[in-house]
Amino acid sequence: MNEKAVTDLKGQIRGDVVTPSDEKYDVARKVYNAMIDKRPAVIVRCADVADVITAVKIAGRENLPVAIRGGGHSVPGFGTADSAVVVDLGRMKGVRVDPVSKTVWAEGGCTWGDFNHATHAFGLATTGGIISTTGVAGLTLGGGIGYLTRGAGLSLDNLVSADVVLADGSFVTASESNHPDLFWALRGGGGNFGVVTTFQYRLQSIKDIVGGVMLYEVEDAPKVMRTYNEYITDAPRELGAFFAWQIAPPLPFIPENRHGDTFCAMVVCWAGPHDQAAKAIAPFRQAAHVVTEFVGPMPYPAMNSMFDGLVPAGLQHYWKAVYVRDLTDGAIDAHMKFGPRVPVVNSTIHIYPINGAVHDVATEATAFGHRDAKYATVIAGMWPDPKQNEVNIRWVKDYYAALAPYSERGGYINFAASDDTDRVGANFGSNFDQLRKLKSKYDPSNRFRINQNITPLS
Ligand SMILES: Cc1cc2nc3c(=O)[nH]c(=O)nc-3n(C[C@H](O)[C@H](O)[C@H](O)COP(=O)(O)OP(=O)(O)OC[C@H]3O[C@@H](n4cnc5c(N)ncnc54)[C@H](O)[C@@H]3O)c2cc1C
């Protein structure tokens, strides 16, 4: 970036402006996935909306792409890019709850940990992710799948409005009644349409839940998957549950002689009355012998951070994703071939249900284009040692190839790898054409292209 532009930024920005010559540059350019090593032109750590407007305007003037960073968790590292202006919202973490209307305003740099901390004090919550360190922003704009999805819908289904800085630096609040086409596109279009500085959500009365994890022997996985597939179809909506493969970490509830062994797992979260929890979870207890479990009442934020320790910042990440309509025998065979070969304790695969409340909303009602799927499956390769890159990436790719014949062509945009660009249309699904039209309207020069990119119509 030329000197004048840097001087202009430094003169107008209340937050930090970090350039390659700054000592802080190497720390500021890091994102969650340690495999990402990009050198942006400048990193603007915005203090407020005014900073965001300035950064976007100057990027436009200098004709540089903008990489928007919310929580920085994008696996392909979309929160940074070579020669880009990084608009980093990490300092913007304000959360305001209105307990009377059960709504919350959360700034674009919040993680789900920040969000839950604020809402839990009022006994309120909405769908966030499975762990607490992920950003509210990227997760919501791509969909938002978590423990509460079956009852409360995707995170984006709970969005009431969004404050947005558009590509030309103008500011709008998008909602059902104000810029409804933009509001539609934001709910599933990822970071393609502007920088969302504040999200407003509806909340539900959810305080403590009954949840945790059950581990089963690998050979029982087909029974567990079949039970899961059958039961989750019509299970009470207060039940969140997902199937996983997991190497046992050294935790007190797992017998010491089994630490390091591979298991299949059901993770459950019952958000209904506590005296009905045992009945709601019973089918999973009866599916096969439960080797050990850690399930009980706890505050919702505790459930939301239960697995944080398995995924600290600084691991290498390579993920693939598919949408699935049903867990067929062929799919179960593919899982049995590759699931037990999960290479390290951090890596996993999760089969998340996206039925229940997600299916109540029409596919064309928001930009999220895969409401006909029953599951979103992620194969998440996560490992500490770069020397293990090849073996982990191979495992993810082989697993993905084996599942492909039993899956939809598209996968959840928030789980997709950066080498999936040939599948962007399939990942956005049936709403892709409309998204391209709106991209042409709101970001015709593709200023926001560091993402699962929706290219404007030429
Ligand atoms: C360990 C881990 C666990 C995860 N668990 C879940 C889960 O349970 N459920 C789920 O649905 N997903 C999950 N994800 C995927 C997650 O939804 C995506 O990685 C998401 O993009 C993260 O959002 P972020 O703000 O942290 O990321 P960032 O890297 O900051 O941004 C990701 C994308 O969103 C855009 N973006 C970010 N902030 C804004 C903003 N304010 N305005 C406009 N665009 C913006 C960026 O441009 C980029 O394209 C997980 C990811 C990881 C690494």
Side-chain angles (χ1 to χ4, degrees):
M1 182 174 251
N2 67 54
E3 231 172 88
K4 180 176 179 316
V6 173
T7 310
D8 283 354
L9 275 172
K10 287 193 170 161
Q12 295 179 59
I13 293 289
R14 183 168 274 222
D16 307 307
V17 176
V18 186
T19 61
S21 59
D22 282 318
E23 240 176 63
K24 288 185 277 184
Y25 181 72
D26 278 335
V27 173
R29 71 190 179 90
K30 270 199 185 124
V31 287
Y32 179 77
N33 180 356
M35 289 177 91
I36 309 295
D37 182 20
K38 304 283 181 190
R39 302 191 67 83
V42 65
I43 299 143
V44 184
R45 302 195 64 235
C46 300
D48 55 20
V49 178
D51 280 0
V52 176
I53 291 171
T54 301
V56 170
K57 278 190 175 162
I58 291 182
R61 199 184 75 197
E62 300 301 312
N63 198 19
L64 293 172
V66 171
I68 313 167
R69 190 184 302 169
H73 264 52
S74 154
V75 167
F78 291 144
T80 185
D82 285 333
S83 307
V85 174
V86 173
V87 173
D88 182 348
L89 302 179
R91 289 178 57 160
M92 294 173 58
K93 286 178 175 288
V95 187
R96 183 170 84 82
V97 181
D98 176 359
V100 177
S101 64
K102 293 190 180 173
T103 46
V104 58
W105 289 259
E107 283 191 304
C110 290
T111 63
W112 287 103
D114 303 323
F115 184 100
N116 292 333
H117 173 76
T119 58
H120 185 70
F122 298 95
L124 299 168
T126 193
T127 306
I130 298 301
I131 65 163
S132 76
T133 56
T134 314
V136 162
L139 187 136
T140 300
L141 296 170
I145 299 169
Y147 295 112
L148 306 179
T149 307
R150 296 188 66 252
L154 301 164
S155 304
L156 60 77
D157 290 329
N158 294 285
L159 203 61
V160 178
S161 73
D163 290 351
V164 196
V165 176
L166 298 172
D168 61 2
S170 60
F171 174 89
V172 297
T173 296
S175 66
E176 289 288 3
S177 55
N178 207 13
H179 297 280
D181 58 351
L182 175 64
F183 189 54
W184 179 90
L186 289 172
R187 289 173 295 162
N192 273 280
F193 292 91
V195 185
V196 178
T197 50
T198 296
F199 295 81
Q200 182 191 2
Y201 301 85
R202 257 182 305 279
L203 296 167
Q204 283 80 33
S205 294
I206 294 171
K207 191 166 172 57
D208 295 343
I209 54 83
V210 177
V213 58
M214 303 173 187
L215 298 182
Y216 312 81
E217 302 292 1
V218 163
E219 55 273 21
D220 284 331
K223 282 193 258 176
V224 177
M225 276 189 263
R226 285 194 176 97
T227 302
Y228 169 51
N229 189 38
E230 208 173 296
Y231 178 50
I232 209 67
T233 308
D234 292 313
R237 289 180 173 200
E238 296 93 328
L239 184 68
F242 65 88
F243 176 91
W245 293 100
Q246 184 63 54
I247 293 179
L251 292 172
F253 81 96
I254 301 171
E256 221 172 298
N257 64 344
R258 302 301 306 271
H259 293 173
D261 287 357
T262 301
F263 293 92
C264 76
M266 282 305 308
V267 178
V268 294
C269 174
W270 171 252
H274 285 202
D275 59 358
Q276 294 171 21
K279 187 171 170 227
I281 294 166
F284 299 130
R285 291 218 170 94
Q286 289 151 10
H289 168 65
V290 178
V291 179
T292 182
E293 67 169 62
F294 180 80
V295 177
M298 64 185 83
Y300 173 70
M303 182 80 216
N304 192 228
S305 50
M306 186 181 275
F307 300 107
D308 287 8
L310 282 172
V311 285
L315 298 178
Q316 334 295 308
H317 288 255
Y318 182 80
W319 296 23
K320 291 257 184 214
V322 285
Y323 285 112
V324 179
R325 284 179 190 242
D326 202 22
L327 271 178
T328 58
D329 288 347
I332 291 173
D333 287 349
H335 282 296
M336 287 310 292
K337 187 159 177 211
F338 289 97
R341 296 189 203 166
V342 55
V344 291
V345 67
N346 316 89
S347 287
T348 187
I349 79 108
H350 291 171
I351 307 174
Y352 296 116
I354 50 166
N355 62 353
V358 181
H359 287 189
D360 291 345
V361 178
T363 302
E364 60 284 359
T366 70
F368 185 83
H370 285 278
R371 293 188 191 266
D372 47 359
K374 185 170 168 189
Y375 302 106
T377 300
V378 60
I379 311 160
M382 308 184 267
W383 62 99
D385 185 354
K387 287 197 210 88
Q388 297 172 326
N389 287 4
E390 206 181 309
V391 57
N392 282 278
I393 292 172
R394 188 74 273 149
W395 173 71
V396 174
K397 286 188 169 171
D398 289 348
Y399 203 145
Y400 169 73
L403 286 183
Y406 312 102
S407 311
E408 304 297 292
R409 188 158 179 276
Y412 178 36
I413 63 159
N414 279 348
F415 292 157
S418 51
D419 55 8
D420 285 333
T421 42
D422 60 323
R423 288 196 303 143
V424 168
N427 291 345
F428 283 106
S430 53
N431 290 318
F432 188 55
D433 290 344
Q434 182 61 12
L435 280 166
R436 284 197 75 193
K437 280 188 203 146
L438 291 170
K439 179 77 173 176
S440 312
K441 175 175 173 187
Y442 284 101
D443 184 17
S445 61
N446 209 4
R447 182 77 46 228
F448 305 114
R449 57 181 177 270
I450 316 298
N451 43 39
Q452 286 267 320
N453 194 225
I454 300 165
T455 48
L457 297 167
S458 44

PDB file of all heavy atoms in Angstrom, residues 322-343:
ATOM      1  N   VAL A 322     -19.998 -32.130   3.175  1.00  0.00           N
ATOM      2  CA  VAL A 322     -21.068 -32.546   2.256  1.00  0.00           C
ATOM      3  C   VAL A 322     -22.415 -32.426   2.959  1.00  0.00           C
ATOM      4  O   VAL A 322     -22.507 -32.598   4.174  1.00  0.00           O
ATOM      5  CB  VAL A 322     -20.912 -34.016   1.765  1.00  0.00           C
ATOM      6  CG1 VAL A 322     -19.814 -34.135   0.739  1.00  0.00           C
ATOM      7  CG2 VAL A 322     -20.707 -35.002   2.909  1.00  0.00           C
ATOM      8  N   TYR A 323     -23.444 -32.119   2.165  1.00  0.00           N
ATOM      9  CA  TYR A 323     -24.817 -32.239   2.655  1.00  0.00           C
ATOM     10  C   TYR A 323     -25.316 -33.640   2.320  1.00  0.00           C
ATOM     11  O   TYR A 323     -24.956 -34.202   1.270  1.00  0.00           O
ATOM     12  CB  TYR A 323     -25.724 -31.206   1.986  1.00  0.00           C
ATOM     13  CG  TYR A 323     -25.535 -29.811   2.520  1.00  0.00           C
ATOM     14  CD1 TYR A 323     -24.976 -28.814   1.721  1.00  0.00           C
ATOM     15  CD2 TYR A 323     -25.913 -29.493   3.821  1.00  0.00           C
ATOM     16  CE1 TYR A 323     -24.803 -27.524   2.209  1.00  0.00           C
ATOM     17  CE2 TYR A 323     -25.735 -28.192   4.315  1.00  0.00           C
ATOM     18  CZ  TYR A 323     -25.185 -27.225   3.509  1.00  0.00           C
ATOM     19  OH  TYR A 323     -25.007 -25.958   4.002  1.00  0.00           O
ATOM     20  N   VAL A 324     -26.136 -34.181   3.208  1.00  0.00           N
ATOM     21  CA  VAL A 324     -26.581 -35.567   3.061  1.00  0.00           C
ATOM     22  C   VAL A 324     -28.082 -35.625   3.302  1.00  0.00           C
ATOM     23  O   VAL A 324     -28.582 -34.996   4.240  1.00  0.00           O
ATOM     24  CB  VAL A 324     -25.857 -36.465   4.102  1.00  0.00           C
ATOM     25  CG1 VAL A 324     -26.309 -37.909   3.997  1.00  0.00           C
ATOM     26  CG2 VAL A 324     -24.344 -36.360   3.938  1.00  0.00           C
ATOM     27  N   ARG A 325     -28.799 -36.369   2.448  1.00  0.00           N
ATOM     28  CA  ARG A 325     -30.251 -36.484   2.642  1.00  0.00           C
ATOM     29  C   ARG A 325     -30.613 -37.613   3.582  1.00  0.00           C
ATOM     30  O   ARG A 325     -31.634 -37.579   4.252  1.00  0.00           O
ATOM     31  CB  ARG A 325     -30.943 -36.690   1.307  1.00  0.00           C
ATOM     32  CG  ARG A 325     -31.020 -35.390   0.515  1.00  0.00           C
ATOM     33  CD  ARG A 325     -31.680 -35.607  -0.810  1.00  0.00           C
ATOM     34  NE  ARG A 325     -31.524 -34.418  -1.617  1.00  0.00           N
ATOM     35  CZ  ARG A 325     -32.549 -33.690  -2.055  1.00  0.00           C
ATOM     36  NH1 ARG A 325     -33.769 -34.023  -1.783  1.00  0.00           N
ATOM     37  NH2 ARG A 325     -32.324 -32.610  -2.787  1.00  0.00           N
ATOM     38  N   ASP A 326     -29.771 -38.673   3.605  1.00  0.00           N
ATOM     39  CA  ASP A 326     -30.074 -39.795   4.481  1.00  0.00           C
ATOM     40  C   ASP A 326     -28.796 -40.595   4.742  1.00  0.00           C
ATOM     41  O   ASP A 326     -27.918 -40.638   3.884  1.00  0.00           O
ATOM     42  CB  ASP A 326     -31.118 -40.701   3.801  1.00  0.00           C
ATOM     43  CG  ASP A 326     -31.856 -41.549   4.815  1.00  0.00           C
ATOM     44  OD1 ASP A 326     -31.882 -41.170   6.011  1.00  0.00           O
ATOM     45  OD2 ASP A 326     -32.405 -42.580   4.406  1.00  0.00           O
ATOM     46  N   LEU A 327     -28.724 -41.220   5.907  1.00  0.00           N
ATOM     47  CA  LEU A 327     -27.564 -42.079   6.190  1.00  0.00           C
ATOM     48  C   LEU A 327     -27.856 -43.473   5.644  1.00  0.00           C
ATOM     49  O   LEU A 327     -28.353 -44.340   6.362  1.00  0.00           O
ATOM     50  CB  LEU A 327     -27.326 -42.141   7.700  1.00  0.00           C
ATOM     51  CG  LEU A 327     -26.434 -41.081   8.307  1.00  0.00           C
ATOM     52  CD1 LEU A 327     -26.357 -41.260   9.818  1.00  0.00           C
ATOM     53  CD2 LEU A 327     -25.035 -41.167   7.706  1.00  0.00           C
ATOM     54  N   THR A 328     -27.553 -43.667   4.387  1.00  0.00           N
ATOM     55  CA  THR A 328     -27.850 -44.943   3.731  1.00  0.00           C
ATOM     56  C   THR A 328     -26.812 -45.991   4.135  1.00  0.00           C
ATOM     57  O   THR A 328     -25.765 -45.659   4.707  1.00  0.00           O
ATOM     58  CB  THR A 328     -27.786 -44.772   2.212  1.00  0.00           C
ATOM     59  OG1 THR A 328     -26.464 -44.285   1.889  1.00  0.00           O
ATOM     60  CG2 THR A 328     -28.837 -43.776   1.723  1.00  0.00           C
ATOM     61  N   ASP A 329     -27.075 -47.261   3.773  1.00  0.00           N
ATOM     62  CA  ASP A 329     -26.107 -48.327   4.073  1.00  0.00           C
ATOM     63  C   ASP A 329     -24.757 -48.019   3.426  1.00  0.00           C
ATOM     64  O   ASP A 329     -23.701 -48.253   4.016  1.00  0.00           O
ATOM     65  CB  ASP A 329     -26.629 -49.679   3.566  1.00  0.00           C
ATOM     66  CG  ASP A 329     -27.784 -50.178   4.434  1.00  0.00           C
ATOM     67  OD1 ASP A 329     -27.989 -49.614   5.537  1.00  0.00           O
ATOM     68  OD2 ASP A 329     -28.484 -51.113   3.990  1.00  0.00           O
ATOM     69  N   GLY A 330     -24.799 -47.477   2.180  1.00  0.00           N
ATOM     70  CA  GLY A 330     -23.543 -47.146   1.486  1.00  0.00           C
ATOM     71  C   GLY A 330     -22.757 -46.092   2.251  1.00  0.00           C
ATOM     72  O   GLY A 330     -21.534 -46.196   2.409  1.00  0.00           O
ATOM     73  N   ALA A 331     -23.465 -45.079   2.750  1.00  0.00           N
ATOM     74  CA  ALA A 331     -22.785 -44.021   3.512  1.00  0.00           C
ATOM     75  C   ALA A 331     -22.209 -44.596   4.807  1.00  0.00           C
ATOM     76  O   ALA A 331     -21.064 -44.280   5.187  1.00  0.00           O
ATOM     77  CB  ALA A 331     -23.771 -42.892   3.828  1.00  0.00           C
ATOM     78  N   ILE A 332     -22.972 -45.461   5.452  1.00  0.00           N
ATOM     79  CA  ILE A 332     -22.482 -46.049   6.719  1.00  0.00           C
ATOM     80  C   ILE A 332     -21.232 -46.897   6.453  1.00  0.00           C
ATOM     81  O   ILE A 332     -20.255 -46.836   7.206  1.00  0.00           O
ATOM     82  CB  ILE A 332     -23.616 -46.849   7.420  1.00  0.00           C
ATOM     83  CG1 ILE A 332     -24.673 -45.852   7.925  1.00  0.00           C
ATOM     84  CG2 ILE A 332     -23.073 -47.706   8.560  1.00  0.00           C
ATOM     85  CD1 ILE A 332     -25.941 -46.472   8.483  1.00  0.00           C
ATOM     86  N   ASP A 333     -21.228 -47.640   5.345  1.00  0.00           N
ATOM     87  CA  ASP A 333     -20.025 -48.439   4.999  1.00  0.00           C
ATOM     88  C   ASP A 333     -18.813 -47.518   4.802  1.00  0.00           C
ATOM     89  O   ASP A 333     -17.709 -47.823   5.252  1.00  0.00           O
ATOM     90  CB  ASP A 333     -20.260 -49.228   3.705  1.00  0.00           C
ATOM     91  CG  ASP A 333     -21.207 -50.403   3.932  1.00  0.00           C
ATOM     92  OD1 ASP A 333     -21.496 -50.715   5.104  1.00  0.00           O
ATOM     93  OD2 ASP A 333     -21.687 -50.972   2.922  1.00  0.00           O
ATOM     94  N   ALA A 334     -19.040 -46.380   4.119  1.00  0.00           N
ATOM     95  CA  ALA A 334     -17.927 -45.435   3.889  1.00  0.00           C
ATOM     96  C   ALA A 334     -17.428 -44.885   5.229  1.00  0.00           C
ATOM     97  O   ALA A 334     -16.215 -44.775   5.457  1.00  0.00           O
ATOM     98  CB  ALA A 334     -18.376 -44.301   2.981  1.00  0.00           C
ATOM     99  N   HIS A 335     -18.354 -44.562   6.117  1.00  0.00           N
ATOM    100  CA  HIS A 335     -17.937 -44.072   7.444  1.00  0.00           C
ATOM    101  C   HIS A 335     -17.151 -45.158   8.190  1.00  0.00           C
ATOM    102  O   HIS A 335     -16.175 -44.854   8.872  1.00  0.00           O
ATOM    103  CB  HIS A 335     -19.159 -43.666   8.270  1.00  0.00           C
ATOM    104  CG  HIS A 335     -19.732 -42.331   7.882  1.00  0.00           C
ATOM    105  ND1 HIS A 335     -19.030 -41.161   8.037  1.00  0.00           N
ATOM    106  CD2 HIS A 335     -20.934 -41.982   7.349  1.00  0.00           C
ATOM    107  CE1 HIS A 335     -19.777 -40.139   7.610  1.00  0.00           C
ATOM    108  NE2 HIS A 335     -20.927 -40.614   7.181  1.00  0.00           N
ATOM    109  N   MET A 336     -17.574 -46.414   8.042  1.00  0.00           N
ATOM    110  CA  MET A 336     -16.877 -47.492   8.756  1.00  0.00           C
ATOM    111  C   MET A 336     -15.471 -47.710   8.206  1.00  0.00           C
ATOM    112  O   MET A 336     -14.583 -48.163   8.912  1.00  0.00           O
ATOM    113  CB  MET A 336     -17.680 -48.803   8.666  1.00  0.00           C
ATOM    114  CG  MET A 336     -18.932 -48.815   9.513  1.00  0.00           C
ATOM    115  SD  MET A 336     -18.648 -48.314  11.237  1.00  0.00           S
ATOM    116  CE  MET A 336     -17.668 -49.678  11.879  1.00  0.00           C
ATOM    117  N   LYS A 337     -15.279 -47.377   6.938  1.00  0.00           N
ATOM    118  CA  LYS A 337     -13.943 -47.570   6.353  1.00  0.00           C
ATOM    119  C   LYS A 337     -12.977 -46.484   6.835  1.00  0.00           C
ATOM    120  O   LYS A 337     -11.834 -46.767   7.170  1.00  0.00           O
ATOM    121  CB  LYS A 337     -14.066 -47.545   4.830  1.00  0.00           C
ATOM    122  CG  LYS A 337     -12.790 -47.887   4.139  1.00  0.00           C
ATOM    123  CD  LYS A 337     -13.002 -48.349   2.723  1.00  0.00           C
ATOM    124  CE  LYS A 337     -11.640 -48.590   2.079  1.00  0.00           C
ATOM    125  NZ  LYS A 337     -11.641 -48.330   0.663  1.00  0.00           N
ATOM    126  N   PHE A 338     -13.446 -45.230   6.893  1.00  0.00           N
ATOM    127  CA  PHE A 338     -12.505 -44.132   7.174  1.00  0.00           C
ATOM    128  C   PHE A 338     -12.606 -43.558   8.588  1.00  0.00           C
ATOM    129  O   PHE A 338     -11.623 -43.035   9.102  1.00  0.00           O
ATOM    130  CB  PHE A 338     -12.676 -43.022   6.124  1.00  0.00           C
ATOM    131  CG  PHE A 338     -12.165 -43.449   4.789  1.00  0.00           C
ATOM    132  CD1 PHE A 338     -13.023 -43.950   3.820  1.00  0.00           C
ATOM    133  CD2 PHE A 338     -10.807 -43.415   4.521  1.00  0.00           C
ATOM    134  CE1 PHE A 338     -12.545 -44.387   2.598  1.00  0.00           C
ATOM    135  CE2 PHE A 338     -10.307 -43.850   3.296  1.00  0.00           C
ATOM    136  CZ  PHE A 338     -11.185 -44.340   2.332  1.00  0.00           C
ATOM    137  N   GLY A 339     -13.786 -43.651   9.223  1.00  0.00           N
ATOM    138  CA  GLY A 339     -13.946 -43.100  10.570  1.00  0.00           C
ATOM    139  C   GLY A 339     -12.948 -43.672  11.571  1.00  0.00           C
ATOM    140  O   GLY A 339     -12.255 -42.913  12.275  1.00  0.00           O
ATOM    141  N   PRO A 340     -12.826 -44.998  11.626  1.00  0.00           N
ATOM    142  CA  PRO A 340     -11.901 -45.571  12.610  1.00  0.00           C
ATOM    143  C   PRO A 340     -10.441 -45.223  12.346  1.00  0.00           C
ATOM    144  O   PRO A 340      -9.588 -45.441  13.186  1.00  0.00           O
ATOM    145  CB  PRO A 340     -12.130 -47.085  12.461  1.00  0.00           C
ATOM    146  CG  PRO A 340     -13.491 -47.209  11.848  1.00  0.00           C
ATOM    147  CD  PRO A 340     -13.641 -46.016  10.955  1.00  0.00           C
ATOM    148  N   ARG A 341     -10.154 -44.651  11.170  1.00  0.00           N
ATOM    149  CA  ARG A 341      -8.748 -44.290  10.867  1.00  0.00           C
ATOM    150  C   ARG A 341      -8.455 -42.834  11.209  1.00  0.00           C
ATOM    151  O   ARG A 341      -7.455 -42.272  10.736  1.00  0.00           O
ATOM    152  CB  ARG A 341      -8.482 -44.479   9.372  1.00  0.00           C
ATOM    153  CG  ARG A 341      -8.611 -45.909   8.920  1.00  0.00           C
ATOM    154  CD  ARG A 341      -8.106 -45.970   7.474  1.00  0.00           C
ATOM    155  NE  ARG A 341      -8.659 -47.106   6.788  1.00  0.00           N
ATOM    156  CZ  ARG A 341      -8.624 -47.267   5.472  1.00  0.00           C
ATOM    157  NH1 ARG A 341      -8.087 -46.330   4.714  1.00  0.00           N
ATOM    158  NH2 ARG A 341      -9.129 -48.336   4.914  1.00  0.00           N
ATOM    159  N   VAL A 342      -9.317 -42.183  11.956  1.00  0.00           N
ATOM    160  CA  VAL A 342      -9.088 -40.777  12.323  1.00  0.00           C
ATOM    161  C   VAL A 342      -7.667 -40.654  12.897  1.00  0.00           C
ATOM    162  O   VAL A 342      -7.309 -41.373  13.819  1.00  0.00           O
ATOM    163  CB  VAL A 342     -10.199 -40.278  13.286  1.00  0.00           C
ATOM    164  CG1 VAL A 342     -10.331 -41.138  14.516  1.00  0.00           C
ATOM    165  CG2 VAL A 342      -9.986 -38.829  13.690  1.00  0.00           C
ATOM    166  N   PRO A 343      -6.821 -39.779  12.290  1.00  0.00           N
ATOM    167  CA  PRO A 343      -5.384 -39.860  12.584  1.00  0.00           C
ATOM    168  C   PRO A 343      -4.938 -39.308  13.947  1.00  0.00           C
ATOM    169  O   PRO A 343      -3.986 -39.820  14.520  1.00  0.00           O
ATOM    170  CB  PRO A 343      -4.728 -39.033  11.472  1.00  0.00           C
ATOM    171  CG  PRO A 343      -5.793 -38.650  10.517  1.00  0.00           C
ATOM    172  CD  PRO A 343      -7.108 -38.836  11.189  1.00  0.00           C
TER     173      PRO A 343
END
